């Protein structure tokens, strides 16, 4: 298990988090798209974060990752729709399938998976539709 240090700009401190990092060609969140972003599972916080090369820190994309089992995630070529508002281009179907396998490996045993991770994000829908790259890059 890899450990990555992420900086908290508000605190100016580094925090080590157990993570598994995946390189991407791009990540689209609503109307915003980041090229060469990385995705990281934060096992301690049980979330999926996007690490942006131009920024220090991470943006949480999905929480409660252990409740997602990956069964409804189907790579189409190198692309994978994680939620209605988050689409990741891994560059190859092999990389996309590796991501789905890593997600399935984190599923909690004995916890019934959600029928769809998309149902867990209704509060994010308005934000995702309006979010632009400049909103996060300041």
């Amino acid at each position: 298990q890899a450990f990555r240090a992420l900086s908290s700009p508000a605190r100016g401190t580094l925090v080590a988090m157990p993570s598994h990092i995946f390189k991407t060609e791009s990540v689209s969140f609503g109307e915003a798209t980041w090229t060469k972003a990385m995705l990281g599972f934060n096992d301690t916080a049980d979330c999926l974060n996007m690490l942006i090369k131009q920024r220090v820190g991470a943006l949480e994309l999905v929480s409660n990752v252990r409740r997602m089992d990956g069964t409804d995630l189907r790579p189409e070529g190198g692309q994978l729709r994680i939620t209605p508002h988050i689409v990741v281009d891994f560059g190859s179907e092999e990389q996309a399938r590796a991501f789905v396998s890593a997600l399935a490996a984190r599923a909690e045993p004995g916890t019934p998976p959600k029928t769809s991770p998309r149902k867990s994000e209704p509060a994010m829908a308005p934000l995702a539709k309006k979010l632009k790259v400049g909103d996060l890059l300041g």
Side-chain angles (χ1 to χ4, degrees):
Q1 195 169 47
F3 284 86
R4 301 283 183 184
L6 297 179
S7 174
S8 170
R11 295 186 202 120
T13 58
L14 292 177
V15 180
M17 291 184 270
S19 299
H20 190 103
I21 305 296
F22 288 86
K23 293 181 179 180
T24 71
E25 292 299 314
S26 66
V27 176
S28 297
F29 184 83
E31 295 179 12
T33 300
W34 291 268
T35 57
K36 304 297 181 186
M38 294 184 288
L39 296 181
F41 290 112
N42 179 334
D43 292 331
T44 304
D46 190 23
C47 63
L48 176 65
N49 294 322
M50 178 175 62
L51 298 103
I52 307 166
K53 189 175 186 178
Q54 299 85 352
R55 302 281 290 181
V56 176
L59 172 66
E60 182 177 313
L61 296 177
V62 179
S63 59
N64 299 318
V65 173
R66 287 188 194 99
R67 294 191 50 92
M68 297 172 64
D69 67 354
T71 57
D72 62 341
L73 298 177
R74 290 170 185 69
E76 295 178 16
Q79 291 195 343
L80 180 67
R81 181 173 296 278
I82 297 175
T83 73
H85 309 291
I86 301 171
V87 178
V88 180
D89 182 354
F90 288 97
S92 73
E93 189 161 346
E94 181 181 341
Q95 285 295 103
R97 290 190 185 283
F99 176 84
V100 172
S101 294
L103 181 64
R106 284 171 169 70
E108 289 180 345
T111 301
K114 294 179 182 178
T115 55
S116 171
R118 295 163 185 85
K119 293 182 181 177
S120 67
E121 295 189 311
M124 291 180 63
L127 171 66
K129 288 178 183 173
K130 296 178 186 176
L131 189 64
K132 304 234 186 304
V133 173
D135 296 338
L136 294 174
L137 297 179

